[in-house]
Amino acid sequence: LFLLFSTTWNTIPPVFFTYEGHRTMGTQKQQTRGLFITLEGVEGSGKSTQIRHLAEVLTQAGYRVLQTREPGGTATAEAIRHILLTAVSHEPVTPQAEALLILAARCQHVTHLIMPALRRGTLVLCDRFSDSTFAYQGFARGLDLQWLRAANEVATGGLTPDLTLVLDLPVSVGLARRRADRGQQNRLDRETERFHRKVRRGFLALAAEEPGRMTIVNANRPAQEVRDDLTEIVVGWLARPRRPPRRRS
Ligand code: TMP
């Protein structure tokens, strides 16, 4: 049970696999068997609480679930997360360095944790993924989106979530929640409200581009309502005809 609910690199299988996608620098679409669901949203949107609940519901329904997060999920990616979220005042991280670090973390995460799990037929639930890079480093930091998409393709080997839920709420509400939750804020939390508004607009624009994959969920409601809504969406989506992920025996 612990393994199911924690982001942990000791779940990495001892054998590191290879697959076509990486040999071709991400140009070949990766074949997976499990399903890949991501949760996205601005700071304070409640993703972490909601993803825990979803993992619980889906595990109880008989799915083999891996819950993980970005940046992070493997030892190397978690070390990169630490660098990213800890400000060093005398050496600001440039937007380009930030993007490259995030993509390096993603590459490790996809290679050593996500793809092996998907190949085993596991349902992977990930707190943030590529859409965060497009929203934060693209829309908010102003890096070129085409470049980001191409670099992200290299990092992921072409892996795209099957379903993405965007928890949406006004930035002022999210930031206030975050301040109340955590005494200390990380380097990105401390960005201006204007920055976070651009992030939110980014997520909404991305969702408008890909309505088939991305669903916006109103997170400016009591957690229980958001929880029920998310469960209904995911359960309904899983019930759609497709080859289901392998269930636990
Ligand atoms: P969180 O775990 O609180 O969501 O924090 C992760 C931070 O990293 C959050 O501020 C968003 C940021 N981030 C990016 O800027 N780009 C990315 O691609 C990802 C995955 C996260």
Side-chain angles (χ1 to χ4, degrees):
L1 208 66
F2 169 76
L3 294 181
L4 292 171
F5 294 116
S6 62
T7 299
T8 157
W9 48 86
N10 53 23
T11 59
I12 305 168
V15 179
F16 292 155
F17 67 98
T18 57
Y19 52 86
E20 290 300 314
H22 272 219
R23 270 184 247 131
T24 55
M25 293 294 281
T27 50
Q28 197 163 323
K29 195 82 182 161
Q30 295 190 18
Q31 296 299 309
T32 64
R33 286 180 292 127
L35 292 171
F36 184 30
I37 301 178
T38 58
L39 255 75
E40 297 281 7
V42 291
E43 315 290 332
S45 56
K47 287 178 292 85
S48 312
T49 312
Q50 296 297 346
I51 207 167
R52 265 200 308 276
H53 174 253
L54 262 183
E56 216 171 290
V57 167
L58 295 173
T59 304
Q60 276 164 11
Y63 289 96
R64 181 165 50 188
V65 177
L66 171 76
Q67 185 196 324
T68 185
R69 69 171 181 186
E70 287 223 340
T74 71
T76 307
E78 288 288 337
I80 296 173
R81 177 187 178 93
H82 180 74
I83 295 171
L84 278 163
L85 299 185
T86 315
V88 180
S89 56
H90 62 274
E91 189 193 330
V93 178
T94 68
Q96 290 79 2
E98 182 178 87
L100 291 167
L101 283 168
I102 285 165
L103 293 174
R106 180 161 305 137
C107 192
Q108 290 297 110
H109 191 204
V110 168
T111 303
H112 297 305
L113 190 65
I114 298 178
M115 277 304 296
L118 290 173
R119 286 177 171 243
R120 290 193 302 270
T122 299
L123 196 160
V124 177
L125 283 179
C126 190
D127 185 340
R128 299 195 184 280
F129 196 65
S130 305
D131 297 301
S132 274
T133 309
F134 306 141
Y136 281 81
Q137 282 64 49
F139 285 86
R141 290 266 190 252
L143 293 184
D144 181 64
L145 265 176
Q146 257 187 316
W147 177 80
L148 276 176
R149 285 187 200 276
N152 188 59
E153 181 89 3
V154 175
T156 60
L159 177 69
T160 312
D162 298 299
L163 173 69
T164 297
L165 303 156
V166 181
L167 299 192
D168 181 57
L169 84 174
V171 162
S172 55
V173 178
L175 291 180
R177 275 191 197 172
R178 184 49 58 110
R179 278 192 288 268
D181 280 1
R182 293 182 183 174
Q184 250 193 336
Q185 294 182 301
N186 70 42
R187 189 176 63 84
L188 280 133
D189 292 334
R190 281 196 293 268
E191 283 293 341
T192 61
E193 194 158 326
R194 187 161 163 264
F195 173 89
H196 291 290
R197 271 201 294 273
K198 287 190 204 167
V199 172
R200 183 187 187 196
R201 278 203 297 275
F203 280 127
L204 297 179
L206 292 166
E209 259 175 47
E210 281 190 80
R213 171 175 69 86
M214 298 177 79
T215 299
I216 298 168
V217 176
N218 175 11
N220 194 14
R221 293 180 290 168
Q224 182 67 48
E225 274 181 42
V226 181
R227 209 168 135 149
D228 293 346
D229 212 5
L230 280 175
T231 308
E232 198 181 314
I233 294 168
V234 173
V235 168
W237 179 79
L238 285 169
R240 285 193 209 160
R242 83 167 69 74
R243 206 169 51 146
R246 202 190 313 152
R247 285 165 182 262
R248 286 181 301 158
S249 50

